[in-house]
Amino acid sequence: MSQRESSYSTKELVNQLLKDIQQGVIQGADGQLPTEPELMKQYQVTRYTLRQALKNLANLGYIYQAHGSGTFARPHHVEGAISLQNNVGLTAEMARQGKIVKTTGISQRIVPLSKAAFVPESQKLAQDTELISVIRQRTLDDEPFLVEHSYYLKSMVGEIPDSALKGSLFAFIDQKPGLKVGFIDSVIECEMITGTPARFFNLADGSPSLVVRDDSYLSSGKLFAFSKIFYDFRKTKFFMLKKMH
């Protein structure tokens, strides 16, 4: 079977495998998944596509491989938690759990770095660097969940259309010629909030919030964005798989 004959892309196969695992339709009573040839035949995909999908699921903590025994579904993935190894975006990550993320409020404006509410953790930029400030309020199953404040380097990403603001901004970046998202440095901390996040979460000023700070880089290693994502601490859980070998 050539790579062109796969009936799923890697992303589509990840979603389908996860759906089938969660419904318990492909693993045995002990959680073991079928062999690679059996999975290739069942889903009509190439070995390459299958292995990429299994690797993604393993990195997200949904499956594990036992040397000499096979591949198994993990029995205790944390329900409702956001995987810190998620590489598909929050909307897709929560959709896998049957939850719906919506963007309910958006603002965008151009500001110099000197007017930014915060600066990147790991790099120094000139004070007159033009930034696109984007603030998005997002709900989870129609309940206030997060406020995301991001700054994009205008010289690198250009204009951001309204249609992109309602979806995945990283997917928009990836589609631009010459740009490809490479890696993200993330820091989780607690911060007392005021203003927009507090009002959105219906909390008093000075209430705590879980905050994820992201510095985002292209595959070339150049910083193109930095963000603060404020989560309602009452509704947020994070999950990370630690591989020991």
Side-chain angles (χ1 to χ4, degrees):
M1 180 186 291
S2 69
Q3 190 167 340
R4 292 182 182 178
E5 293 173 344
S6 286
S7 58
Y8 292 94
S9 67
T10 299
K11 181 178 179 180
E12 290 169 340
L13 183 58
V14 167
N15 290 333
Q16 187 60 52
L17 283 169
L18 182 54
K19 179 180 178 181
D20 291 345
I21 288 170
Q22 290 176 329
Q23 292 179 352
V25 299
I26 63 170
Q27 67 265 44
D30 60 354
Q32 185 169 7
L33 272 61
T35 64
E36 281 192 1
E38 291 170 332
L39 288 171
M40 289 167 59
K41 181 178 180 180
Q42 180 173 344
Y43 293 95
Q44 289 297 295
V45 294
T46 63
R47 188 179 301 274
Y48 175 82
T49 300
L50 176 63
R51 286 184 173 178
Q52 289 296 109
L54 293 177
K55 179 181 178 181
N56 287 347
L57 287 173
N59 287 339
L60 289 168
Y62 287 104
I63 64 173
Y64 67 95
Q65 293 180 325
H67 184 67
S69 299
T71 301
F72 295 80
R74 294 189 72 245
H76 299 300
H77 188 80
V78 182
E79 179 66 27
I82 301 168
S83 172
L84 295 175
Q85 288 123 318
N86 158 42
N87 61 359
V88 297
L90 179 65
T91 300
E93 168 72 5
M94 300 313 290
R96 290 170 173 171
Q97 302 183 36
K99 299 180 182 295
I100 300 174
V101 175
K102 294 180 182 177
T103 300
T104 59
I106 304 172
S107 68
Q108 176 183 194
R109 64 191 182 101
I110 307 298
V111 298
L113 181 75
S114 60
K115 299 294 185 181
F118 54 93
V119 296
E121 288 275 300
S122 57
Q123 291 204 7
K124 294 189 180 299
L125 301 171
Q127 291 296 297
D128 60 352
T129 300
E130 278 197 318
L131 305 171
I132 304 173
S133 171
V134 175
I135 300 177
R136 298 195 293 179
Q137 300 173 13
R138 312 190 79 183
T139 61
L140 181 65
D141 289 345
D142 295 323
E143 292 291 330
F145 185 51
L146 68 85
V147 174
E148 171 190 320
H149 191 177
S150 300
Y151 292 103
Y152 293 83
L153 275 67
K154 190 173 187 299
S155 62
M156 302 193 70
V157 305
E159 303 294 329
I160 302 178
D162 289 343
S163 58
L165 294 173
K166 296 177 182 178
S168 169
L169 284 168
F170 280 9
F172 166 74
I173 300 296
D174 263 338
Q175 292 170 1
K176 294 180 72 70
L179 300 182
K180 184 173 179 58
V181 179
F183 56 94
I184 303 171
D185 291 338
S186 296
V187 175
I188 301 175
E189 57 191 9
C190 181
E191 186 173 314
M192 303 301 116
I193 55 174
T194 59
T196 298
R199 290 193 299 271
F200 187 57
F201 300 150
N202 196 26
L203 292 171
D205 284 350
S207 297
S209 173
L210 280 173
V211 179
V212 176
R213 294 196 59 157
D214 286 342
D215 287 352
S216 303
Y217 297 83
L218 299 175
S219 56
S220 63
K222 294 182 179 180
L223 178 78
F224 74 91
F226 53 98
S227 308
K228 268 189 177 184
I229 306 173
F230 301 86
Y231 290 90
D232 187 333
F233 71 93
R234 299 166 297 183
K235 303 170 185 174
T236 306
K237 294 184 288 186
F238 294 109
F239 170 85
M240 181 175 69
L241 173 69
K242 297 176 97 174
K243 293 184 178 181
M244 307 307 292
H245 300 287

